[in-house]
Amino acid sequence: MALVKSDWKHQDNKHYRGHLDRVYVSTTEEWEIGYFVDHYLKSHKSSTTESNRDFVMEKISTYPGRKPIKRTDLTTFLDERIKFNSK
């Protein structure tokens, strides 16, 4: 899966809002994937540095499932591949 920057700079897809926007992650929308990555890092008490974002994006790019990707499936996929240090 190749991650591509969207044509809509930091804007959500107006046709993909509401319930679907809370269930699925679009890997073609820069704003949405960035929001997901930042939320994922924060929920695991990790800093939102560029290196951490790049690391998570690299893992997302190896997601083998079909699109659209459910948020819960992507979170589970990442949790199986990323180990966070406890402080």
Side-chain angles (χ1 to χ4, degrees):
M1 169 177 85
L3 297 174
V4 199
K5 290 193 176 197
S6 70
D7 293 335
W8 297 307
K9 296 282 185 192
H10 305 290
Q11 294 179 7
D12 202 7
N13 182 345
K14 63 183 174 183
H15 302 291
Y16 196 66
R17 289 187 181 162
H19 179 71
L20 288 179
D21 211 17
R22 292 186 301 267
V23 174
Y24 296 101
V25 177
S26 171
T27 58
T28 60
E29 292 181 36
E30 181 182 358
W31 180 89
E32 189 168 318
I33 193 70
Y35 177 83
F36 174 84
V37 169
D38 284 355
H39 182 268
Y40 181 80
L41 289 168
K42 289 175 186 174
S43 69
H44 288 83
K45 296 179 175 61
S46 186
S47 59
T48 54
T49 63
E50 286 304 312
S51 61
N52 284 351
R53 287 178 180 129
D54 290 345
F55 181 76
V56 173
M57 290 289 286
E58 182 181 315
K59 296 298 180 186
I60 290 173
S61 70
T62 65
Y63 182 79
R66 296 177 59 183
K67 294 178 189 173
I69 304 171
K70 285 188 176 181
R71 289 180 185 278
T72 54
D73 293 346
L74 186 54
T75 299
T76 301
F77 174 79
L78 293 173
D79 287 346
E80 291 171 352
R81 285 156 183 79
I82 299 174
K83 303 298 178 212
F84 292 90
N85 293 332
S86 300
K87 291 184 179 181

